[in-house]
Amino acid sequence: MMKTLIALLALTFVVTGYSAVKIEEEVYITGLGPEVVKDLIDTGSVEIDHVTSEGFEAYGSKGLKKHLDSKNIPYSDMVTVNKKMFAGYPTHEQITNKLKAAQAKNPGIIKLISIGKSVQGRELWMVKISDNVNVDEVEPEFKYISSMHGDEITGRELTTFLIEEIAAKYGSDAELTELVNNTEIYIMPSMNPDGSFAKRRANANGSDLNRNFPDITRDRVGTASNQEVETQAVMKFQATRKFALSANFHGGTIVANYPWDSKYDLHPLDDLVKELSTVYSDLNPEMRNSSEFPGGITNGAAWYVVKGGMQDWSYVFYNDLQITLEVSHTKYPDYSDIPDFYKSNRNSMVEFMKHVHQGAGIKLSTPGLAGTVGIKQVSPVSRNLGDYAFTGSEFYKILPEGSYVFTVKGSDGTAKTVEVRVEKGFVKANGNYVTL
């Protein structure tokens, strides 16, 4: 039955996953009968999420509940439940004050940046953490984004706790200090503050932001156009940076989800995305010991297909390898439990960030050049990994451990070849770059 259900869920997203579903009603459907899923498929615009052995979530326009009632399908109203469970959580304004306090505590390494505003005018905060926070250094760039689904709030708290810890311990904690000194870290605790304010999944326009990015199976352009303002803000900011490794936080189960989300093909670096997902899950006991997901990891599409997700978009259009982290079975656990969630995830969060140093890059001495880097792995296996675009005379890529040949072609007509070695397990001084 479970395999049949997953096949039906995949079909659901093939039919409706990239349509502009306006989310006006949010429910949790108990039970796993495949006939229930088929019935929802037949209704048209419905999104399904977080399939477990107990049930799944369904999101749709007005009339969804009436339809379920007519079919005697049991469900719970998620927004009603959320409003009760969100008690005790900080408001957006209180989160803002926490971030400002972290910046004030250690302004030399923490900078609060607004990358735009939500539909309802709330600031979309991105926090930069680096030893020279006001300088754009040539270092590996890492990113965490949380709560693009407004009701999946645990990650917002975890990322805020992490920012506060770094602000407090920089200079005294050797591991954090080394990471900050050699990396440019960006953390966005809340991509959807309007959704969190309303205790709902969607933004203020009823849009699911993780179905709102260009779809790699359909769209040939990865830049912002008609997306929601929150999505556009993230897309435009990404275009100004050179992120190499990222993760986005969700809630509803506990698992590390790796690409692809939108298609069943294996990722070209499938072993690497599994390895990086395991880096996170291994240090989180509940994730690692999952009874539902072996090793605490899953391929996205094998779980359920998502079209227009941020994870796939970031890699295809920006060479930013990203995974999705589901960090709580309950989307809104009792707030008093959040310190325990941070304790469970803290080492995973830090260790995953450190793996942005599992890569290699080049810096051209002539400024402002664009071009391509052809990458061939020469050991421990021999394979051609293809060509990758770069801008700003700078390129960096996360890779499996081994030796590589980079063939660099610049827009000025120059062509250079360099051999590089990628190793894992330690932070490198300002990253593993070769100047050409």
Side-chain angles (χ1 to χ4, degrees):
M1 179 180 289
M2 189 65 176
K3 290 183 178 179
T4 303
L5 176 68
I6 291 173
L8 285 167
L9 288 170
L11 177 59
T12 302
F13 279 104
V14 170
V15 174
T16 67
Y18 196 69
S19 62
V21 177
K22 184 173 184 180
I23 298 176
E24 298 172 299
E25 296 184 348
E26 308 181 6
V27 300
Y28 185 83
I29 297 174
T30 54
L32 279 177
E35 69 282 355
V36 174
V37 181
K38 184 177 186 305
D39 178 79
L40 291 175
I41 293 172
D42 293 341
T43 67
S45 295
V46 177
E47 289 184 5
I48 292 174
D49 203 9
H50 289 117
V51 184
T52 72
S53 57
E54 297 178 356
F56 57 89
E57 301 157 18
Y59 302 90
S61 57
K62 288 189 182 299
L64 173 59
K65 295 176 186 176
K66 184 177 180 180
H67 175 78
L68 295 175
D69 288 337
S70 72
K71 299 289 186 177
N72 294 317
I73 296 173
Y75 66 87
S76 301
D77 181 277
M78 292 186 63
V79 175
T80 300
V81 173
N82 289 353
K83 287 180 178 178
K84 296 177 181 178
M85 298 300 293
F86 262 69
Y89 277 84
T91 64
H92 177 71
E93 291 73 23
Q94 289 170 324
I95 291 292
T96 296
N97 289 338
K98 286 173 177 280
L99 300 180
K100 288 181 176 179
Q103 178 180 249
K105 186 176 186 66
N106 216 324
I109 66 163
I110 294 180
K111 182 177 182 180
L112 189 57
I113 304 165
S114 175
I115 66 169
K117 291 188 176 183
S118 68
V119 172
Q120 295 178 339
R122 294 179 174 87
E123 298 288 353
L124 301 173
W125 295 118
M126 183 76 73
V127 177
K128 180 183 178 182
I129 305 175
S130 180
D131 60 333
N132 294 303
V133 75
N134 293 309
V135 178
D136 187 8
E137 297 182 280
V138 180
E139 293 179 338
E141 296 186 17
F142 179 91
K143 167 171 51 68
Y144 276 140
I145 290 182
S146 184
S147 300
M148 58 200 308
H149 292 150
D151 61 342
E152 298 175 17
I153 202 72
T154 307
R156 186 190 72 171
E157 307 309 312
L158 301 187
T159 51
T160 301
F161 276 37
L162 179 62
I163 292 165
E164 291 176 320
E165 181 179 354
I166 293 173
K169 293 185 178 179
Y170 177 77
S172 61
D173 183 295
E175 181 181 41
L176 293 177
T177 302
E178 180 183 47
L179 181 61
V180 171
N181 285 348
N182 297 290
T183 318
E184 290 200 337
I185 301 165
Y186 291 80
I187 302 177
M188 186 180 196
S190 181
M191 183 178 163
N192 184 8
D194 295 352
S196 294
F197 175 77
K199 286 79 174 176
R200 58 178 281 177
R201 177 186 184 87
N203 75 344
N205 288 334
S207 178
D208 184 332
L209 299 183
N210 205 32
R211 310 293 187 277
N212 193 233
F213 287 82
D215 172 32
I216 67 167
T217 67
R218 189 187 76 168
D219 298 321
R220 302 277 71 85
V221 177
T223 52
S225 55
N226 61 350
Q227 284 80 16
E228 296 292 327
V229 294
E230 297 91 348
T231 310
Q232 290 198 42
V234 169
M235 295 176 72
K236 290 175 180 178
F237 187 75
Q238 176 106 7
T240 70
R241 305 306 321 158
K242 293 178 173 59
F243 295 119
L245 183 64
S246 299
N248 65 95
F249 288 86
H250 292 255
T253 190
I254 296 180
V255 69
N257 173 333
Y258 57 87
W260 303 112
D261 275 338
S262 56
K263 57 184 180 178
Y264 295 109
D265 300 344
L266 292 181
H267 189 279
L269 296 173
D270 186 63
D271 288 343
L272 177 62
V273 295
K274 290 177 182 176
E275 173 189 319
L276 292 170
S277 300
T278 302
V279 164
Y280 195 97
S281 67
D282 269 355
L283 294 177
N284 182 319
E286 189 170 6
M287 188 178 289
R288 181 185 67 241
N289 298 323
S290 171
S291 61
E292 189 167 0
F293 303 101
I297 68 173
T298 184
N299 172 267
W303 186 16
Y304 59 87
V305 175
V306 171
K307 300 286 187 178
M310 181 166 66
Q311 176 172 275
D312 289 3
W313 165 83
S314 71
Y315 184 79
V316 169
F317 292 107
Y318 287 99
N319 194 35
D320 172 22
L321 200 158
Q322 185 170 152
I323 66 171
T324 297
L325 298 169
E326 305 273 358
V327 291
S328 58
H329 287 301
T330 302
K331 292 186 175 187
Y332 28 81
D334 191 288
Y335 189 72
S336 64
D337 292 333
I338 291 297
D340 286 336
F341 277 95
Y342 184 63
K343 184 178 180 180
S344 297
N345 284 275
R346 185 267 185 200
N347 290 343
S348 295
M349 295 170 76
V350 173
E351 187 64 26
F352 187 74
M353 285 195 293
K354 287 165 63 176
H355 275 70
V356 76
H357 286 267
Q358 185 181 325
I362 56 98
K363 176 66 178 177
L364 298 181
S365 54
T366 302
L369 293 181
T372 61
V373 177
I375 300 180
K376 182 177 180 180
Q377 185 173 10
V378 293
S379 73
V381 297
S382 178
R383 56 177 172 168
N384 187 354
L385 297 181
D387 296 331
Y388 301 86
F390 71 87
T391 60
S393 295
E394 183 183 335
F395 174 83
Y396 185 87
K397 185 170 178 60
I398 305 296
L399 291 163
E401 193 169 30
S403 296
Y404 297 83
V405 173
F406 282 12
T407 301
V408 183
K409 297 180 180 179
S411 52
D412 62 349
T414 60
K416 299 180 180 181
T417 299
V418 62
E419 294 186 12
V420 297
R421 174 73 186 170
V422 174
E423 298 176 315
K424 61 183 178 181
F426 60 94
V427 174
K428 302 166 186 66
N430 297 318
N432 185 23
Y433 286 87
V434 176
T435 300
L436 298 177

